[in-house]
Amino acid sequence: MTPDLEKARAFYGGLFGWKFQVGPKETHFYSMCQVDGRNVAGMGERPRDAPLPPAWSVYFEVDDIDAYAARVRKHGGHVGMGPMDVMDAGRLAFCSDPTGAHFGLWQSKQHHGAQRVNEPGSMTWHEVNTRDGARARDFYAAVFGLEPKKMEGMEYWTLHKGPDVVAGVYQTNGKEGTSAPAHWMSYFAVADTDATVKKATELGGKVLAPPMDTPYGRMAVVADPAGATFSVIKLAMPAQGK
């Protein structure tokens, strides 16, 4: 969600090489972000009176959105909007977990989400950053039937659905130099992290964490000109998309 779709398209188009399928006026020009004609993300116009800042959001696919909205409430979360129909695309609800991180629920009809993942220019990972990792871990595990597994040496849990790793929970300690509230962080795969960061600054973005090497690849944290944050990573070992 961004206050200026035209500026957002210019930034991300220049950064990731995205092309855009812009919706009609009745959708407030909602824009599908595409690589080689396939959807990798979406952009919507943020209402001026919206209580949330510009941000990337993560949506969990569900088969019965009303039942999952009830589960969110049952386990201490909040449903702030919906469930509601989005024309013939699907049904939507927007929620927050007990630690304050916002996320969406999506029940597909005509729209089935990202058609490419784990490739340059597409999403490759999502994690919730919170100061109460245990509470967030237990919430997402209970609501979505996921199995949490703790990583050695850090307060980080991966969330598993059968053989698939679907997301992460990272407990921040307040020492990262930010007082940011709990939030979901989306990662986009890139071919060259340093070149992407340089390009982001040329396009008006800001570097929040400079490129660093990790066991999973070279990554950095960036904010777009409107302030929405995201991470970029050159994967050490490209993940296998579905």
Side-chain angles (χ1 to χ4, degrees):
M1 299 300 290
T2 182
D4 191 321
L5 280 171
E6 186 174 350
K7 288 183 178 180
R9 288 193 295 264
F11 175 81
Y12 288 101
L15 189 65
F16 294 136
W18 287 350
K19 304 298 182 184
F20 302 94
Q21 187 178 72
V22 180
K25 185 177 181 179
E26 54 264 32
T27 70
H28 300 283
F29 307 106
Y30 189 92
S31 302
M32 292 294 183
C33 314
Q34 299 183 327
V35 172
D36 294 333
R38 296 177 68 80
N39 295 334
V40 295
M43 292 181 186
E45 186 176 74
R46 173 181 170 270
R48 292 185 179 181
D49 59 350
L52 300 175
W56 283 99
S57 300
V58 59
Y59 289 80
F60 288 87
E61 173 75 21
V62 296
D63 56 6
D64 184 339
I65 198 167
D66 296 276
Y68 274 88
R71 292 172 72 167
V72 167
R73 297 186 185 98
K74 176 183 176 181
H75 293 286
H78 176 68
V79 180
M81 181 175 68
M84 57 186 284
D85 290 317
V86 183
M87 297 180 287
D88 61 352
R91 281 175 59 74
L92 164 75
F94 206 65
C95 312
S96 57
D97 70 26
T99 74
H102 292 83
F103 65 95
L105 302 175
W106 181 257
Q107 184 176 347
S108 295
K109 292 181 182 178
Q110 296 298 316
H111 177 63
H112 294 279
Q115 297 170 321
R116 279 193 172 189
V117 295
N118 302 326
E119 304 176 10
S122 69
M123 294 176 289
T124 190
W125 186 243
H126 305 277
E127 67 190 19
V128 62
N129 288 217
T130 174
R131 294 193 184 185
D132 194 341
R135 192 176 185 191
R137 172 202 67 200
D138 292 346
F139 170 81
Y140 291 104
V143 171
F144 297 110
L146 303 174
E147 179 187 2
K149 296 182 180 181
K150 190 175 184 301
M151 296 181 66
E152 290 187 22
M154 60 188 301
E155 292 299 300
Y156 196 107
W157 294 264
T158 50
L159 301 175
H160 300 247
K161 186 175 180 64
D164 298 321
V165 187
V166 298
V169 178
Y170 173 45
Q171 178 167 308
T172 61
N173 57 18
K175 297 179 181 179
E176 290 85 354
T178 176
S179 58
H183 62 280
W184 276 89
M185 173 68 76
S186 292
Y187 288 68
F188 292 91
V190 296
D192 186 323
T193 300
D194 295 81
T196 301
V197 167
K198 182 175 183 293
K199 186 66 174 179
T201 58
E202 292 171 354
L203 291 166
K206 294 182 179 180
V207 180
L208 303 182
M212 68 190 88
D213 292 318
T214 77
Y216 308 100
R218 189 163 174 80
M219 61 163 289
V221 183
V222 181
D224 70 20
T229 61
F230 59 99
S231 292
V232 295
I233 183 169
K234 179 181 179 181
L235 295 170
M237 182 178 295
Q240 298 299 311
K242 293 183 180 179

